[in-house]
Amino acid sequence: MVKAMKNQFKVDELEENIEELKELSEDVSPAIYLSVILSLILLAIFILRLYNRWTVHCPVDLRCEDKTIIVTGANSGIGKATALELAKRGGRIILAVRDRHKGEALARSIMKKTQNPNVFAAYLNLASLTSIKEFATDFLSKEKSLHVLVNNAAYMGPRASTDDGIERCFGVNYLGHFYLTWLLKDKLRKCAPSRIINVVSDAYLKGNLDLDDIAMVKNYNIYGAYARSKLANMLFNFECHRRYVSDIVISMAVQPGAVSTELMRNWPGLTGQLLRAMGRILFKDPVAGCQTIIFCACKDGIRDQSGKLFYNCKTLKIKEKGRDKQLSKELWNKSLHLCHLDSEIELEEEVVIPEKTNGQEVRSRDTAAVKAAEKASKIPQHPPKPAAEAPKKAPEPAKKLPEPAKKPVEVKKPEPVKQPQAEQVKKQPEVPPKLAPKPAPEAKE
Ligand SMILES: NC(=O)c1ccc[n+]([C@@H]2O[C@H](COP(=O)([O-])OP(=O)(O)OC[C@H]3O[C@@H](n4cnc5c(N)ncnc54)[C@H](OP(=O)(O)O)[C@@H]3O)[C@@H](O)[C@H]2O)c1
């Protein structure tokens, strides 16, 4: 009897404990769920961070003492890291920058860090055809050679236009580099084997290139405009390869991956702030981001790699969109037209002017016909040709650079044409339009 009572008591006690446990678990379960969810989010961030930051460091340790290298957009991010790494390897580096004072300070700092006295800053504003022409003229008059051209600079941000009235993303990221490459191509040919490295992005896959709507009047959005410019860079790389590989000028596209830089500095609002914060946490640093550019600039025996896309120091398959032969030819001709180089449109190639005349697309094999068609068609983003050429005085030769200028610089000053609803970009460094690459005195220390 006593035993049965004891058992009953134990059972009651157990039941009470179970009830208490149930209540406790009900109290605690939201906290458990929350911590599980938080752990999963942290794990996802960790995996994403690992994935984004995965970098193959340049396996080539060749130096580049005998090479002259231009890096556009060298004042920050990937361009800055590229310039530093190449200077470490002994290259003669031209920092093509749009803020000359910042560029000169950077050149001095790189020279000090690397003990390489051949680092120069030169003014280049890719949003101005005039500035590009001045940069190229000055470079060609002062430098004996050019072995590597790194087309790296980029703009990403709200709608804005270049000095020549072109949509800014397209104008800076693509057209500016097109014109620069065009002006320097003979030097590259002369110094063959030489290389053109176009810094692209996998955003090209999301880009849509409508040559009838360069101003992006229909559908402007920040990412869309950037993606379109990167698609244009991909097609440009393909076309450069097609045109220059026989001269042993090798064209390579480099996809750096997701890199924490200042690229999104102009992205407004909360989205911009979130993206920048995300970039700082998840993306790799610029030194990791420039490794494939270094690889493409320094590796030997890459003639058969021309026209290819590189990522993490390996080739990556280019999707159909990025190697559309017809579109790349049309883009090339359109670009010649936008850079006032219509006479350079090749006669043997079928020229397609995408603008429509009386609702009909004009196709021609004849440059004269092309010009006539252009005249007839209305091209909102094409600035009128300058009425007169304004010759400017030849730039002074820099202290250490060979070959002083022989010819006066011819500078065309096209009347700026504003795009519809174009806004001004926040940052427009005031820089006198003149090159002055000169080594800083610290270099000699
Ligand atoms: N960051 C990424 O995750 C990522 C991913 C894929 C591809 N990329 C590509 O990598 C390249 C380098 O970008 P980043 O990430 O290093 O960005 P970044 O830090 O913003 O560097 C861009 C550079 O371009 C220069 N620039 C902008 N407008 C210019 C103009 N009108 N004329 C001359 N230079 C101009 C900037 O000069 P200021 O400093 O004077 O403005 C800056 O130095 C770009 O081609 C970009 O598309 C980047």
Side-chain angles (χ1 to χ4, degrees), residues 76 78 98 125-126 152 154 200 226 230 257 259 261 263 265:
S76 64
I78 297 168
R98 103 189 141 123
N125 179 5
L126 286 157
N152 164 78
V200 299
Y226 175 74
K230 290 290 131 182
V259 187
T261 65
L263 188 62
R265 77 188 99 163

Side-chain angles (χ1 to χ4, degrees), residues 134 388-394 407-413:
E134 283 177 350
E389 285 182 4
K392 284 195 176 174
K393 55 178 179 175
K407 290 180 189 173
V409 184
E410 282 185 359
V411 182
K412 290 182 179 181
K413 273 215 172 274

Side-chain angles (χ1 to χ4, degrees), residues 245-438:
V245 70
S246 56
D247 298 322
I248 326 188
V249 178
I250 308 301
S251 304
M252 288 167 283
V254 170
Q255 193 176 301
V259 187
S260 176
T261 65
E262 294 176 34
L263 188 62
M264 290 184 281
R265 77 188 99 163
N266 293 311
W267 199 308
L270 188 65
T271 317
Q273 281 176 8
L274 283 175
L275 286 170
R276 286 187 288 276
M278 208 175 77
R280 280 193 287 275
I281 297 167
L282 296 179
F283 295 174
K284 57 181 147 189
D285 65 44
V287 175
C290 77
Q291 294 303 311
T292 308
I293 301 177
I294 307 300
F295 174 78
C296 289
C298 298
K299 193 180 179 318
D300 266 347
I302 46 161
R303 191 175 170 184
D304 58 343
Q305 307 289 300
S306 184
K308 296 200 172 154
L309 169 65
F310 290 78
Y311 173 65
N312 264 337
C313 303
K314 290 212 168 75
T315 54
L316 198 67
K317 194 173 183 311
I318 303 176
K319 298 274 160 47
E320 183 56 39
K321 200 172 196 176
R323 51 189 164 89
D324 182 328
K325 203 169 170 183
Q326 184 58 30
L327 187 58
S328 63
K329 271 190 199 174
E330 288 177 16
L331 175 65
W332 188 274
N333 289 332
K334 177 86 180 181
S335 310
L336 286 172
H337 170 64
L338 291 171
C339 295
H340 318 301
L341 294 166
D342 301 75
S343 59
E344 303 289 344
I345 295 174
E346 289 169 14
L347 294 178
E348 74 271 18
E349 289 200 349
E350 185 179 65
V351 172
V352 178
I353 296 296
E355 283 80 17
K356 290 177 182 172
T357 312
N358 299 330
Q360 281 194 328
E361 194 176 69
V362 178
R363 284 172 181 266
S364 173
R365 290 176 182 277
D366 180 337
T367 315
V370 169
K371 281 183 181 164
E374 281 161 8
K375 222 176 171 185
S377 63
K378 285 184 180 165
I379 309 160
Q381 65 277 18
H382 180 208
K385 280 203 169 188
E389 285 182 4
K392 284 195 176 174
K393 55 178 179 175
E396 295 161 21
K399 268 183 201 164
K400 285 204 158 186
L401 296 180
E403 285 189 35
K406 283 173 192 163
K407 290 180 189 173
V409 184
E410 282 185 359
V411 182
K412 290 182 179 181
K413 273 215 172 274
E415 224 174 78
V417 173
K418 293 282 167 236
Q419 278 193 313
Q421 300 150 24
E423 292 163 20
Q424 286 305 310
V425 189
K426 278 184 201 163
K427 196 182 163 200
Q428 290 289 353
E430 285 170 25
V431 186
K434 218 174 168 192
L435 285 169
K438 48 183 173 185

Side-chain angles (χ1 to χ4, degrees), residues 21-39:
L21 271 173
K22 268 186 186 167
E23 275 168 26
L24 194 69
S25 74
E26 271 166 22
D27 288 348
V28 171
S29 59
I32 292 175
Y33 288 139
L34 205 66
S35 51
V36 168
I37 289 168
L38 269 177
S39 313

